[in-house]
Structure formats: C-alpha cells, structure tokens
Amino acid sequence: MLDSFLDARINSKGWETWGFRLLPDVKSRLGKRLTADKRSSQNRRLALGHYLNAALLELPEDNDEQIEMIRSFLRARGGITDPSQSSSYRVSPAVYELARDLDTELTATEKRGLVVYLFSAAVELFLERLDAEGPLGRPEIFSPQQ
C-alpha cells in the first residue's frame, strides 16, 4: 500500500480516476482501516485509492483464477450480498488498464456483473493481510546529520 501511496505522490499526473463498485461492508471496512492507518502513521494524505490500487495490483492475471476468486468470495458469504456502491478513485496506470477491460472480460467468460465481487474480494483479502500485519507505523523520516 505504501508503494501505491508513494507512486501517487511522485507520479500523480499518471494516475487516473475510475469508477469502482464495492460491496458496502467491504467499503466500510476499507474506510475504517484508512482512518486507523491515518491515525497510527500520522499520515493524513493516505486515501482509499491507495489501498484499492494496492489490492488490485495483486489480482491474478488468469481469468479462470479470477472467476475462482469470485466464487470463493461468494461461497464465504453464502451467496448473499447487499447492493454495491459506486465510488471513483484515482489509481495507477496499471490498475486503470486492468479495470477498464476487466468487466468485459469477465462478462465474456462468465456473466455480467461479476467484477464488483472480484474487486471486493481483492480488497477484502488485502485488508485481511494488513490486519494480520497490525497497525501501520509512522515511517522513519530521513534527517541529514548536522
């Protein structure tokens, strides 16, 4: 996630806005993690897009693996989900390219409307890993020696 944050700060002109749909509970959990990380790291510039970007960079490239990820996500929820919520986030060129074509690819392989579950599954898995790592610490700040 910090790599996404740094990339956005250093290469912000390359980042583009894209509309993503996430399930409400995943979006809420993401917001809570962001709030906690802003507090623990004292970095008020962290944004939801940094987390989403980092999570989607970890998606498998293989379409069959993506479909299995969706199925596992839905199985874990008993197939019951609330309607998704749309939000726009600034993401890196790599994630923008991925997101732009993913819905079409999943529709061609399986059926329409699955991309929300893939995005939500990716964010949920990413948040689980972050939770296991604990609170985000404040980075050491370089200070030249006098």
Side-chain angles (χ1 to χ4, degrees):
M1 186 282 302
L2 291 176
D3 288 339
S4 289
F5 169 75
L6 286 172
D7 187 39
R9 293 283 293 161
I10 295 167
N11 302 310
S12 63
K13 290 185 180 180
W15 281 49
E16 299 204 41
T17 302
W18 185 259
F20 292 90
R21 297 189 76 79
L22 296 173
L23 295 181
D25 64 299
V26 174
K27 187 175 178 181
S28 174
R29 185 175 171 198
L30 180 59
K32 288 176 184 173
R33 178 64 196 220
L34 172 66
T35 300
D37 285 351
K38 281 183 174 184
R39 189 175 306 116
S40 65
S41 69
Q42 299 174 3
N43 182 353
R44 295 178 305 172
R45 294 181 187 256
L46 291 174
L48 293 175
H50 302 138
Y51 291 78
L52 182 68
N53 193 79
L56 297 185
L57 284 173
E58 295 181 358
L59 277 175
E61 290 182 24
D62 182 68
N63 198 249
D64 290 333
E65 289 179 53
Q66 293 169 352
I67 297 295
E68 186 50 42
M69 194 171 169
I70 292 166
R71 289 180 179 151
S72 294
F73 179 78
L74 289 171
R75 258 187 237 109
R77 292 166 172 261
I80 300 170
T81 61
D82 291 327
S84 61
Q85 298 175 340
S86 182
S87 294
S88 294
Y89 302 98
R90 289 182 46 79
V91 292
S92 66
V95 170
Y96 181 83
E97 289 285 319
L98 170 84
R100 189 182 63 193
D101 298 326
L102 200 50
D103 188 41
T104 304
E105 292 171 11
L106 289 173
T107 299
T109 304
E110 208 53 32
K111 68 178 188 173
R112 181 145 178 78
L114 294 179
V115 74
V116 62
Y117 305 120
L118 183 60
F119 291 157
S120 294
V123 168
E124 192 167 80
L125 289 170
F126 185 71
L127 289 173
E128 287 172 8
R129 200 174 77 246
L130 288 180
D131 288 348
E133 293 172 7
L136 181 64
R138 181 159 172 77
E140 303 236 354
I141 298 173
F142 173 76
S143 176
Q145 302 244 336
Q146 299 280 338

